[in-house]
Amino acid sequence: MDRVIYSPMKYVQGEGAWQRLHEYAAALGQKGAYAVAGPHVLEHYWSDVEKGFKEANFPLHAHRFAGECSMNEINRIVNELREENCDVIIGIGGGKTLDTAKAVGFYANLPVIIAPSIASTDAPCSALSVIYTDEGAFESYLFLRNNPNVVLVDTAVIARSPVRMLVAGMGDALATYYEARACFNSGGRTTAGGRSSLSALAVARACRDSLFKNGLRAKLAAEAKTVSSALDDIVETNTYMSGIGFESGGLAAAHAIHNGLTVLPGVHHAMHGEKVSFGLLAQLVLENAPQDEFKQVLDFCREVGLPTNLAALGLTDVSDGDLMKAARAACAESETIHNMPFKVTPEAVFSAMRVADRLGS
């Protein structure tokens, strides 16, 4: 199996970066830009974005995101942008907004600029969109031809976003190294469609090290709504390093356990990265990782405020039967848990979640 590394063509991060969106759009297209934007962005940031396009005399059309990355929404936007004669797509907002923009670029065969308003996941850099029904139920994964042309992150915007989202992004990023390590050791297939590489593993390891160094100080800066050096580092960690690390390094048990837990209604209020952080604790138990390694991860979760037990995810007094349902779902044939360097059974996952819950409590 080949070693495969995916990444966006350009990654740009800094305070006020959104004010230069018009420059990157004009470098990719000639006719105009079509922006898929979230309501919060349109209300609070649109005038600053629009100003640059007006001054550059580059056409900009805005579409208010309807809330779900569904095929109906994607097709509607593809038809609208053709009517407007635009040749660059911009996704500006949260995760589903960005996934929609990436899917529109895929179907319209146009370049894409991604401008995340939060740093809660590593999705902005990936060549993947998660498709839902109009009602919000998961439908399918759309694997894209390539990663975004440009990912443009405005740290001033991230600093003003809810702190919980930044911390959840740390939870998602925290699993990156440990899952990439498992894939590297097993030779498992990554999201990029190949075998993990030394480069991807090195990025994943740097992702972990940055979290341990900067996580708490970044959270404190976010609580003060200010951009510090630590916050700047964590935004890059959550968005780029974790993005490269997961896509080219591979996923394993932590994300599979996250997926398994989603069959239980009690966890639906928890964010993606919050569930992943508990999934990582369970993965480390599953691996029988050294106690000092487990403690380092557990201490970090407690330090920044990530869930460390089932009750914190909303699963107070969860029954053995329900937890076994989650364990079986985590071990579905298509799940990434089979990238672990040993055979994993639902019974082993059930046990790992119970032990992780006790250790985390």
Side-chain angles (χ1 to χ4, degrees):
M1 189 171 11
D2 295 336
R3 298 187 183 199
V4 180
I5 300 174
Y6 277 12
S7 68
M9 291 179 66
K10 288 185 180 180
Y11 179 85
V12 182
Q13 176 181 312
E15 290 188 73
W18 281 10
Q19 296 172 29
R20 300 190 297 281
L21 263 168
H22 62 282
E23 298 176 10
Y24 293 97
L28 291 171
Q30 298 177 334
K31 300 175 182 178
Y34 192 99
V36 183
H40 181 78
V41 169
L42 291 172
E43 182 179 349
H44 295 283
Y45 299 105
W46 193 249
S47 59
D48 289 339
V49 170
E50 196 174 34
K51 180 181 177 183
F53 283 86
K54 288 180 176 178
E55 290 176 350
N57 198 30
F58 193 83
L60 173 66
H61 302 274
H63 173 91
R64 179 182 286 266
F65 179 55
E68 287 299 339
C69 180
S70 67
M71 286 309 305
N72 284 333
E73 175 78 347
I74 292 162
N75 290 331
R76 183 163 51 247
I77 296 171
V78 169
N79 291 330
E80 287 179 5
L81 74 89
R82 285 172 178 161
E83 292 176 3
E84 297 291 354
N85 199 29
C86 297
D87 56 359
V88 180
I89 309 300
I90 301 174
I92 180 166
K96 289 187 177 182
T97 306
L98 306 183
D99 273 6
T100 301
K102 288 191 288 183
V104 168
F106 174 81
Y107 286 111
N109 198 25
L110 292 174
V112 176
I113 300 172
I114 293 298
S117 59
I118 53 178
S120 62
T121 74
D122 46 27
C125 292
S126 73
L128 175 72
S129 288
V130 183
I131 308 300
Y132 297 84
T133 65
D134 289 331
E135 294 71 36
F138 171 79
E139 189 169 279
S140 63
Y141 291 113
L142 175 64
F143 293 95
L144 310 174
R145 281 183 292 271
N146 47 260
N147 301 68
N149 298 77
V150 179
V151 176
L152 192 65
V153 186
D154 192 325
T155 47
V157 173
I158 303 298
R160 293 195 291 271
S161 68
V163 176
R164 182 186 175 191
M165 292 186 173
L166 182 76
V167 173
M170 295 188 215
D172 195 22
L174 183 60
T176 303
Y177 167 68
Y178 303 96
E179 291 190 284
R181 180 179 68 183
C183 284
F184 190 88
N185 289 337
S186 70
R189 182 178 292 273
T190 70
T191 308
R195 187 159 58 93
S196 186
S197 64
L198 287 171
S199 299
L201 186 63
V203 171
R205 185 182 293 108
C207 177
R208 176 203 62 184
D209 294 346
S210 175
L211 288 165
F212 291 154
K213 177 184 176 182
N214 299 299
L216 178 59
R217 284 177 286 180
K219 180 187 178 183
L220 296 174
E223 288 174 346
K225 306 296 181 187
T226 186
V227 180
S228 67
S229 178
L231 180 68
D232 212 22
D233 285 353
I234 285 298
V235 171
E236 180 184 348
T237 300
N238 286 7
T239 309
Y240 182 79
M241 296 168 73
S242 181
I244 301 300
F246 104 79
E247 192 166 33
S248 299
L251 299 175
H255 272 79
I257 291 169
H258 160 280
N259 294 344
L261 287 170
T262 62
V263 305
L264 306 179
V267 305
H268 289 179
H269 76 285
M271 297 186 68
H272 173 80
E274 293 171 338
K275 295 191 287 285
V276 169
S277 64
F278 178 77
L280 173 58
L281 293 175
Q283 174 178 321
L284 293 173
V285 172
L286 198 62
E287 293 175 302
N288 198 25
Q291 187 61 26
D292 58 344
E293 182 175 70
F294 183 91
K295 185 176 185 302
Q296 187 179 35
V297 172
L298 179 64
D299 288 349
F300 174 81
C301 290
R302 287 174 171 160
E303 185 177 62
V304 298
L306 286 165
T308 61
N309 54 57
L310 293 169
L313 291 174
L315 297 176
T316 304
D317 298 325
V318 61
S319 69
D320 286 352
D322 281 346
L323 201 61
M324 183 55 81
K325 288 180 186 177
R328 290 195 186 100
C331 293
E333 185 177 350
S334 60
E335 273 296 349
T336 57
I337 203 162
H338 303 297
N339 281 336
M340 297 297 291
F342 48 82
K343 182 177 175 59
V344 180
T345 64
E347 291 75 18
V349 173
F350 171 85
S351 175
M353 287 194 287
R354 280 298 189 205
V355 173
D357 177 53
R358 287 177 175 269
L359 289 169
S361 298

